[in-house]
């Protein structure tokens, strides 16, 4: 049995099929429904089934199938136009535009046929009395496609000049085409101005703002409006992802990834749509897709990743190089077919230009995780004149300059000296310095190398530097975990250097080096303490630091290294103060140390201490100082910051800025944190946390589509073990909010239920109850009434166990409305609403304070109001008059109770009272009581007599009081007018 027994069942089946996802399955069902329509022997049924076929073909990858049903429809129109009703007559003329665009998409259809069809369209529109606006729009599309700019400009102007009528495309689609032409002609800013109403939501349709968001990506990048481009990609890709017919817009998003350093995300997009490589139904969108595939693959090749495996057409493995060659060949062959048909070279020129684009941004972080592939081959630079190898003496001089002034990359400079010095005859001092810096690059493994350097310093006649090198050897032993051995190792150099310095046998810098080594080793004891630090450990470390400062303070002069010793000494005292329970002194000393590093021209050394200062300031509640310190750390670190350090600073700053309500700036820092965490290889751990935070800041701004993309990306890496189950629940919660706002209610319910399942095991159950309630809302909005009822029942049980009558009452009311949707559910709905009223009334007398009592009274009033609405809605149209009247009388009683309850609160519930009063008035008119209805309307007008129309009277439901006043007055006047008309009859 097909279930198609009459015209009505056919229409229901077509409506249901229209709601299915785009694709071959929906198309096949439309073809089957046409067969069913033909069996009904009703001409209009066949006409509507053919129209349904046309629609599903147009919004699919099988656009080339449109022409057959349209030709049949047109023949039916020419033979028997009286078989078409008004709607189908309009639809027939409407899809002329689809045919025009569809012919352009098919290179096997001659251009002469396209032009002939354009003339046919103009003729039929004129006969039907339609404006030429749609015709000129179609002509513009033809001219633009073949590259006839002069004709395109004329048609464009005529399109805009012609009157809009019922045949004109919707505003959103028209604006897309108009903006596209501005961008095509190099007028990016003008294009974005044209698109603004669509981007802002003033005009929408089934495919807008989807295509406008995609088309806007490159203009925004070219204008440097990167934040908007990022947002449009995240928002727009979410819209086109599930729509099979939008291969061209999908290609725009792949192109965006290729031009912004997001090659990995581009590959993910290709992997999601393997059929796009081979679908033949719309050759023009296939050409667009293949062109950006070439762009992306050749970008990978330029990064040295030509041999990387990539997603491609099914049936064989592909490397980037292989796919680039394959896609280029197919794309150019397809472009050549269009050009042969058009008699121009325009399509091929555009395809080649698209493939040859260069990145517009080196890397635009998106917030979603897609780690940039590391180049496996270094791309050779363009040929230059042969470089002259520097002399060893020059390398030595540069390395000494960098190390003496504590510049970054000094260790690398000494490594270059070491390479250049292989086989050279160097004196002991030179070899000592080479080994000394080699040891610095080895970290905890460098102790033996430092000892060898010390021997060479001694041979070179510099005993002070030899002792300093031995102290460095001792310190790296402490870093390796053996603090006691390190202290024993530094004891000798410490005693010897003090004696040597007292005799004038070494300089202050060498003595300071030994004292600093000893102080650092003693600080390791502090760092490694498990729990509170023993006072003796703190005292000994502090004494060592103060001994160092006593030696070097006031003696630094222009010596950068001594200035750094002073600054580091103050930083050590800061940490000791914080460990000793004096965070105020610690913060002051960290600030001093950071300032001294900056004053010495060593801002990159200040970063660590500014970050520590920020943490202490945050602990002390001084968020202004915390923010200042974090911004300074980012500024002072500059290009020298490691990716993970940069990520941490940005995330800390995001938390501080977000804490003072600046969600937009906080989101920018969280975005940077996610990006740098990915660069550091910390995407699954620290990066996931940053994405979690970013998603939250986007939610706070109402940027639902972007938030959903980011939070979904975060969830792939977040785990209770690594990040804590609270973070996982909050991410699911936020994601549910985003999906709910986007109308993706089933998915929202899934995430809210998953979060509720985790929260179910927590000692405190408020979050569990809230999530269960939210999941029930989403299930109801998804049309899953039975599941929603069970979820509301569960939430109600939780609210009851928590003593939260407001949550309990709202769950009962929601269940009542769900029950009303079911067959014979009126009685159950009444019982649930009655229970809600009773729950409110039962706890009202036990309210703990006046504020709680008022909230309960308001809840009771809203419950009576909803009870009245529900009873009025339950009055079925096909019931007998007595049943309808009885339901309306009951509804009126509940409305009257609501009015009375709200009235008891005076002006605090004014708007709620007048809303219920008007609802009661309309019920009075339904019951044929004009006098009572008029009285209620006048009561509303009297209630607002003391309120000016433009008064800023906040409504008890959250504001907008002035609009509410105007709306209530207008509705009251309307009710009075209806009453007068009722009395006149």
């Amino acid at each position: 049995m097909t279930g198609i027994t009459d015209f009505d069942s056919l229409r229901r089946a077509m409506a249901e099929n229209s709601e299915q996802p785009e694709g071959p399955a929906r198309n096949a069902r439309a073809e089957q429904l046409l067969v069913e329509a033909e069996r009904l022997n009703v001409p209009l049924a066949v006409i509507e089934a053919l129209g349904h076929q046309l629609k599903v073909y147009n919004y699919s990858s099988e656009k080339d199938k449109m022409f057959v049903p349209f030709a049949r429809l047109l023949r039916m129109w020419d033979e028997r136009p009286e078989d078409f009703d008004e709607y189908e007559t309009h639809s027939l003329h409407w899809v002329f535009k689809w045919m025009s665009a569809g012919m352009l998409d098919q290179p096997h259809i001659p251009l002469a046929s396209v032009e002939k069809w354009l003339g046919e369209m103009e003729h039929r529109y004129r006969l039907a009395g339609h404006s030429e606006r749609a015709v000129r729009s179609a002509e513009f599309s033809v001219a633009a496609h073949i590259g006839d700019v002069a004709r395109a400009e004329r048609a464009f102007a005529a399109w805009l000049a012609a009157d809009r009528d019922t045949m004109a495309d919707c505003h959103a689609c028209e604006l897309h085409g108009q903006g596209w032409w501005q961008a095509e002609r190099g007028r990016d800013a003008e294009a974005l101005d044209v698109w603004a109403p669509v981007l802002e939501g003033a005009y929408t349709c089934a495919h807008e703002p989807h295509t406008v968001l995609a088309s806007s990506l490159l203009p925004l990048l070219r204008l440097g409006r990167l934040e908007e481009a990022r947002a449009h990609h995240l928002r727009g890709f979410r819209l086109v992802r599930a729509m099979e017919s939008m291969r061209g817009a999908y290609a725009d998003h792949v192109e965006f990834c290729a031009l912004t350093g997001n090659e990995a995300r581009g590959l993910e997009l290709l992997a999601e749509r393997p059929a796009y490589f081979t679908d033949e139904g719309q050759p023009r969108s296939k050409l667009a897709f293949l062109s950006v595939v070439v762009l992306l693959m050749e970008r990978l090749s330029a990064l040295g990743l030509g041999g990387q495996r990539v997603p491609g057409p099914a049936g064989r493995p592909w490397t980037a190089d292989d796919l680039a060659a394959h896609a280029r060949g197919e794309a150019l062959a397809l472009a050549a077919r269009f050009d042969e048909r058009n008699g121009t070279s325009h399509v091929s020129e555009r395809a080649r230009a698209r493939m040859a684009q260069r990145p517009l941004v080196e890397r635009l972080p998106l917030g979603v995780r897609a780690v940039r592939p590391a180049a496996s081959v270094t791309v050779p630079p363009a040929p230059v004149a042969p470089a002259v190898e520097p002399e060893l003496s020059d390398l030595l001089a540069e390395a000494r300059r960098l190390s003496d002034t504590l510049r970054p990359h000094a260790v690398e400079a000494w490594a270059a000296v070491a390479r250049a010095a292989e086989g050279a005859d160097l004196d002991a001092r030179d070899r000592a310095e080479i080994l000394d810096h080699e040891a610095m690059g080895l970290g905890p493994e460098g102790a033996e190398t430092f000892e060898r350097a010390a021997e060479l310093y001694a041979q070179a006649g510099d005993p002070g530097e030899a002792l300093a090198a031995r102290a460095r050897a001792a310190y790296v032993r402490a870093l390796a975990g053996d603090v006691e051995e390190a202290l024993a190792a530094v004891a000798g150099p410490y005693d010897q250097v003090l004696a040597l310095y007292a005799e004038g046998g070494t300089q202050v810098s060498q003595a300071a080096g030994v004292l600093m080594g000893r102080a650092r080793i003693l600080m390791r004891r502090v760092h490694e303490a498990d729990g509170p630090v023993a006072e003796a450990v703190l005292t000994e470390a502090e004494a060592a630091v103060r001994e160092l400062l006593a030696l070097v303070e006031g003696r630094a002069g222009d010596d950068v290294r001594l200035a750094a010793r002073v600054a580091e000494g103050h930083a050590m005292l800061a940490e000791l103060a914080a460990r000793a329970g004096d965070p105020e002194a610690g913060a002051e000393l960290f600030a001093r140390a950071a300032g001294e590093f900056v004053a010495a021209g060593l801002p990159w050394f200040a970063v660590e201490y500014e970050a520590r200062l920020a943490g202490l300031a945050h602990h002390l509640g001084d968020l202004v100082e915390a923010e200042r310190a974090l911004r300074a750390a980012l500024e002072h670190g500059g290009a020298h910051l490691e990716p993970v350090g940069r990520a941490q600073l940005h995330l800390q700053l995001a938390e501080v800025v977000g804490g003072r309500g600046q969600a937009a700036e906080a989101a920018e820092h969280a975005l940077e944190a996610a990006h740098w965490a990915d660069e550091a290889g910390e995407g699954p751990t620290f990066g996931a946390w940053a994405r979690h935070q970013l998603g939250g800041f986007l939610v706070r701004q109402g940027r639902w589509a972007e938030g959903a993309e980011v939070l979904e990306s975060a969830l792939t890496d977040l785990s209770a073990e690594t990040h804590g189950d609270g973070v996982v629940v909050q991410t699911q919660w936020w994601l549910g909010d985003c999906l709910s706002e986007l109308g993706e209610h089933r998915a929202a319910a899934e995430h809210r239920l998953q979060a509720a399942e985790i929260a179910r095991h927590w000692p405190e159950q408020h979050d569990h109850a809230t999530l269960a309630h939210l999941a029930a809302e989403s299930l109801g909005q998804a049309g899953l009434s039975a599941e929603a009822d069970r979820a509301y029942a569960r939430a109600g049980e939780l609210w009851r166990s928590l003593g939260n009558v407001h949550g309990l009452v709202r769950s009962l009311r929601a269940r009542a409305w769900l029950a009303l949707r079911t067959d014979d559910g009126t009685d159950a709905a009444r019982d649930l609403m009655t229970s809600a009223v009773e729950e409110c009334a039962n706890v009202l007398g036990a309210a703990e304070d006046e504020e709680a009592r008022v909230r309960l009274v308001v809840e009771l009033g809203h419950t009576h109001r909803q009870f009245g609405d529900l009873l009025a809605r339950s009055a079925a149209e096909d019931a007998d008059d007595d049943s309808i009247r009885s339901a309306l009388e009951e509804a009126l009683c509940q409305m009257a109770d609501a009015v009375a309850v709200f009235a008891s609160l005076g002006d605090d519930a004014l708007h709620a009272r007048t809303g219920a009063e008007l609802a009661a008035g309309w019920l009075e008119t339904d019951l044929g009581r004009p006098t009572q209805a008029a009285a209620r309307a006048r009561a509303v007008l009297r209630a607002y007599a003391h309120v000016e129309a433009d008064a800023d009277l906040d409504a008890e439901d959250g504001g907008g009081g002035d609009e509410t006043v105007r709306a209530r007055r207008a509705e009251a006047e309307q009710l009075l007018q209806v009453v007068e008309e009722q009395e006149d009859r």
Side-chain angles (χ1 to χ4, degrees):
M1 291 290 293
T2 66
I4 308 300
T5 57
D6 54 28
F7 200 171
D8 287 340
S9 60
L10 174 70
R11 282 174 164 165
R12 284 194 298 272
M14 290 190 296
E16 291 170 2
N17 195 43
S18 293
E19 297 301 317
Q20 297 305 306
E22 295 177 354
R26 186 170 74 157
N27 295 354
R29 176 60 174 157
E31 292 161 4
Q32 180 186 0
L33 289 174
L34 176 59
V35 174
E36 299 289 347
E38 290 168 337
R39 290 174 180 162
L40 295 178
N41 199 27
V42 177
L44 186 57
V46 175
I47 291 167
E48 290 190 11
L50 286 166
H52 177 62
Q53 255 195 8
L54 268 171
K55 181 178 179 181
V56 300
Y57 286 155
N58 185 58
Y59 295 117
S60 79
S61 62
E62 297 180 310
K63 290 178 183 284
D64 55 333
K65 291 185 175 182
M66 290 192 302
F67 304 110
V68 172
F70 183 73
R72 183 176 173 186
L73 270 175
L74 196 58
R75 185 173 65 253
M76 292 173 73
W77 168 263
D78 288 339
E79 292 173 355
R80 291 180 56 83
E82 64 273 14
D83 288 342
F84 288 69
D85 63 13
E86 182 179 356
Y87 178 81
E88 292 303 327
T89 300
H90 177 274
S91 296
L92 175 69
H93 286 81
W94 180 269
V95 296
F96 264 93
K97 298 179 295 181
W98 294 357
M99 295 304 106
S100 175
M103 288 181 174
L104 276 181
D105 291 342
Q106 306 295 330
H108 69 277
I109 298 179
L111 186 62
S113 298
V114 176
E115 296 283 10
K116 180 181 177 182
W117 184 256
L118 190 60
E120 179 75 9
M121 177 181 174
E122 183 171 10
H123 171 67
R124 288 183 180 261
Y125 272 39
R126 188 180 302 115
L127 288 177
H130 296 307
S131 163
E132 66 171 13
R133 188 178 183 93
V135 177
R136 299 285 77 83
S137 173
E139 182 188 5
F140 161 76
S141 298
V142 173
H145 170 65
I146 65 176
D148 188 341
V149 174
R151 183 186 179 191
E153 292 282 21
R154 290 195 302 272
F156 186 81
W159 169 21
L160 270 60
D163 293 334
R164 277 189 58 83
D165 67 351
T166 58
M167 282 298 113
D169 281 340
C170 76
H171 277 290
C173 289
E174 281 209 325
L175 290 174
H176 173 246
Q178 292 161 15
W180 173 84
W181 184 240
Q182 298 292 351
E184 185 75 4
R185 302 301 296 152
R187 301 185 285 265
D188 290 334
E190 291 86 342
L192 290 162
D193 288 342
V194 171
W195 288 328
V198 182
L199 295 171
E200 293 164 4
Y203 300 118
T204 61
C205 70
H207 279 189
E208 295 297 353
H210 313 44
T211 56
V212 165
L213 286 165
S215 296
S216 71
L217 295 172
L218 262 60
L220 286 168
L221 290 174
R222 289 192 291 255
L223 291 171
R225 293 160 60 172
L226 304 185
E227 174 63 27
E228 291 172 79
R230 175 194 301 115
H232 286 199
H233 168 64
L234 293 177
R235 178 182 163 203
F237 180 67
R238 188 170 194 86
L239 291 173
V240 304
R241 172 182 257 152
M243 301 184 73
E244 184 199 43
S245 64
M246 302 201 73
R247 178 163 55 181
Y250 201 99
D252 291 341
H253 287 280
V254 176
E255 178 180 43
F256 167 85
C257 292
L259 297 178
T260 57
N262 287 287
E263 297 85 6
R265 180 166 171 84
L267 293 176
E268 291 176 1
L269 268 57
L270 295 187
E272 284 193 30
R273 281 290 186 180
Y276 277 173
F277 287 98
T278 53
D279 284 344
E280 301 290 348
Q282 191 189 26
R284 189 147 57 137
S285 72
K286 183 179 182 182
L287 172 59
F289 182 76
L290 291 173
S291 296
V292 300
V293 168
V294 174
L295 173 67
L296 178 60
M297 294 306 112
E298 293 189 350
R299 175 65 187 147
L300 289 172
S301 297
L303 292 171
L305 294 164
Q308 177 170 311
R309 288 284 296 273
V310 295
R316 55 158 287 190
W318 296 91
T319 66
D321 286 343
D322 293 339
L323 185 57
H326 170 79
R328 178 178 285 276
E330 283 213 346
L332 291 179
L334 192 50
R337 289 175 58 201
F338 277 107
D339 284 341
E340 183 180 1
R341 187 270 303 270
N342 299 338
T344 69
S345 59
H346 181 67
V347 174
S348 294
E349 290 169 359
R350 292 188 79 251
R352 286 192 174 91
R354 196 170 196 183
M355 297 174 193
Q357 292 176 97
R358 305 302 302 161
L360 295 170
V361 183
E362 182 180 352
R363 182 74 189 276
L364 178 61
L366 302 177
V368 293
R369 187 179 174 217
V371 180
R372 191 177 196 176
S376 57
V377 178
T378 302
V379 180
V384 294
V388 177
E389 291 293 332
E391 295 288 338
L392 178 58
S393 59
D394 294 333
L395 290 172
L396 271 168
E398 176 62 9
R400 286 190 175 120
R401 183 188 71 80
L402 293 175
S403 56
D404 289 346
T405 56
L406 299 180
R407 299 293 104 177
H409 310 303
V411 170
E412 292 86 343
W414 279 104
V417 170
R419 290 191 297 272
E422 288 181 7
D425 184 18
L426 297 177
D427 62 28
R429 176 74 190 196
D430 293 340
R431 287 184 284 132
E433 289 184 88
I434 291 172
L435 284 175
D436 203 0
H437 288 87
E438 179 184 334
M440 292 177 191
L442 294 173
E445 307 300 322
E448 293 184 5
T449 308
F450 274 128
E451 294 286 2
R452 287 162 50 206
E455 295 172 3
L456 289 169
Y457 279 128
Q459 291 178 24
D462 191 344
E465 198 60 52
L467 292 170
R470 289 174 58 196
R472 290 191 282 275
Y475 175 57
V476 297
R477 288 191 174 93
L479 290 177
D482 198 338
V483 176
E484 299 309 316
E485 180 186 343
L487 280 174
V490 82
Y494 169 72
D495 292 335
Q496 294 168 36
V497 84
L498 288 179
L500 190 64
Y501 179 68
E503 298 168 358
T506 192
Q507 299 176 11
V508 66
S509 59
Q510 283 78 15
V514 176
L515 267 59
M516 178 58 79
R518 181 169 178 270
R520 286 172 175 169
I521 293 168
L522 288 167
M523 288 298 295
R524 292 300 302 171
R525 277 182 168 176
V526 176
H527 296 150
E528 295 177 2
D530 186 11
V533 185
E535 185 175 351
V537 171
L538 293 172
T539 300
E540 189 175 3
E542 182 178 353
V545 175
R546 292 198 181 280
E547 183 180 19
L548 165 70
L549 289 173
L551 174 68
V552 296
E553 275 191 304
R555 294 184 175 87
D558 295 331
D559 190 328
V560 172
R561 289 180 297 178
L562 287 180
R565 302 290 192 209
V566 173
E568 186 177 351
H570 288 135
M572 289 176 172
L573 291 179
E575 183 165 358
L576 291 168
R579 291 287 190 126
D582 190 355
E584 291 87 354
E588 183 178 340
L589 283 163
F590 274 132
R592 178 176 179 180
E596 287 168 341
F597 274 122
V598 173
L602 305 169
W604 48 89
F605 284 114
V607 173
E608 177 184 350
Y609 307 114
E610 284 163 335
R612 297 292 304 279
L613 169 60
L616 285 178
H618 206 165
H619 171 73
L620 294 168
D622 188 352
L623 298 185
V624 173
E625 177 65 3
E627 182 178 341
R628 184 208 63 75
L630 289 168
R631 292 188 189 280
L634 282 168
E635 177 188 351
H636 293 147
H640 306 302
L641 273 175
E642 292 294 322
V644 70
R646 192 182 298 275
Q648 290 168 342
L649 289 171
H650 274 296
L651 191 56
Q652 287 178 269
L653 190 52
E655 292 170 351
V656 171
V657 172
R660 59 177 175 82
Q662 301 298 314
E665 184 184 352
E668 293 175 9
H669 289 294
L671 176 70
E672 289 293 323
H675 164 65
W676 288 109
D678 289 343
E679 291 290 307
E682 298 288 340
T685 52
F686 188 55
W689 170 254
R691 272 181 274 280
H692 158 81
Q693 294 283 65
L694 171 59
F697 292 128
L698 292 170
V699 167
R700 282 166 59 177
Q701 297 174 74
R703 293 160 66 177
W704 310 113
E706 297 167 68
E709 286 289 309
V710 169
L711 292 166
E712 286 172 346
S713 179
L715 275 177
T716 61
D717 292 317
L718 287 173
S719 68
E721 295 75 20
T722 302
H723 303 92
D725 56 6
V727 172
V728 177
V729 166
Q730 184 63 79
T731 303
Q732 297 271 24
W733 194 328
W734 281 332
L735 180 54
D737 291 346
C738 290
L739 296 172
S740 178
E741 293 288 341
L742 294 169
E744 300 176 37
H745 299 300
R746 187 183 290 265
E750 290 174 2
H751 287 289
R752 287 168 167 175
L753 288 169
Q754 290 168 12
E757 177 59 25
I758 298 173
R760 181 170 68 88
H761 303 286
W762 293 353
E764 208 290 314
Q765 288 289 284
H766 186 273
D767 284 345
H768 181 199
T770 303
L771 285 161
H773 199 112
L774 289 171
E777 287 182 6
S778 294
L779 289 166
Q781 290 168 320
L784 302 171
S785 298
E787 293 87 342
D789 182 71
R790 287 194 293 272
Y792 274 125
R794 176 61 181 146
E797 293 170 4
L798 291 165
W799 290 129
R800 188 186 295 280
S801 69
L802 291 168
N804 188 322
V805 70
H806 298 280
L808 172 59
V809 166
R810 289 167 190 175
S811 67
L812 288 167
R813 292 197 311 239
R815 291 183 66 199
W817 284 106
L818 286 170
L820 193 63
R821 298 181 193 174
T822 63
D823 295 338
D824 302 321
T826 302
D827 290 340
R830 290 178 186 223
D831 290 344
L832 287 162
M833 275 296 185
T834 300
S835 297
V837 170
E838 290 171 351
E839 293 289 349
C840 274
N842 290 341
V843 299
L844 192 54
E848 296 178 357
D849 52 44
E850 181 60 17
E851 182 181 350
R853 188 193 72 80
V854 169
R855 288 183 63 226
L856 284 168
V857 171
V858 170
E859 199 73 72
L860 178 60
H862 285 306
T863 305
H864 280 301
R865 168 67 195 270
Q866 286 200 34
F867 202 167
D869 288 335
L870 181 140
L871 290 166
R873 192 79 58 84
S874 72
E877 293 181 2
D878 57 354
D880 59 79
D881 291 345
D882 289 342
S883 297
I884 293 174
R885 188 170 188 85
S886 175
L888 294 179
E889 289 283 8
E890 286 185 78
L892 181 57
C893 288
Q894 291 294 333
M895 288 297 180
D897 288 343
V899 171
V901 170
F902 288 133
S904 71
L905 297 176
D907 285 348
D908 288 341
L910 176 60
H911 296 326
R913 174 168 67 85
T914 56
E917 191 87 70
L918 288 167
W922 291 112
L923 287 169
E924 301 276 19
T925 63
D926 291 339
L927 289 164
R929 299 170 184 169
T931 302
Q932 292 90 329
R936 292 188 182 279
R938 293 190 183 99
V940 171
L941 293 174
R942 284 196 304 274
Y944 292 119
H946 66 289
V947 180
E948 292 297 325
D950 60 349
D952 185 18
L953 177 65
D954 282 340
E956 61 270 11
D957 61 355
D962 54 342
E963 294 181 8
T964 305
V965 171
R966 285 191 288 271
R968 292 284 193 273
R969 283 174 167 164
E971 188 177 353
E973 295 288 356
Q974 182 186 10
L975 179 56
L976 285 173
Q977 184 178 351
V978 169
V979 166
E980 290 175 9
E981 294 171 356
Q982 198 174 54
E983 289 173 335
D984 290 341
R985 288 200 292 270

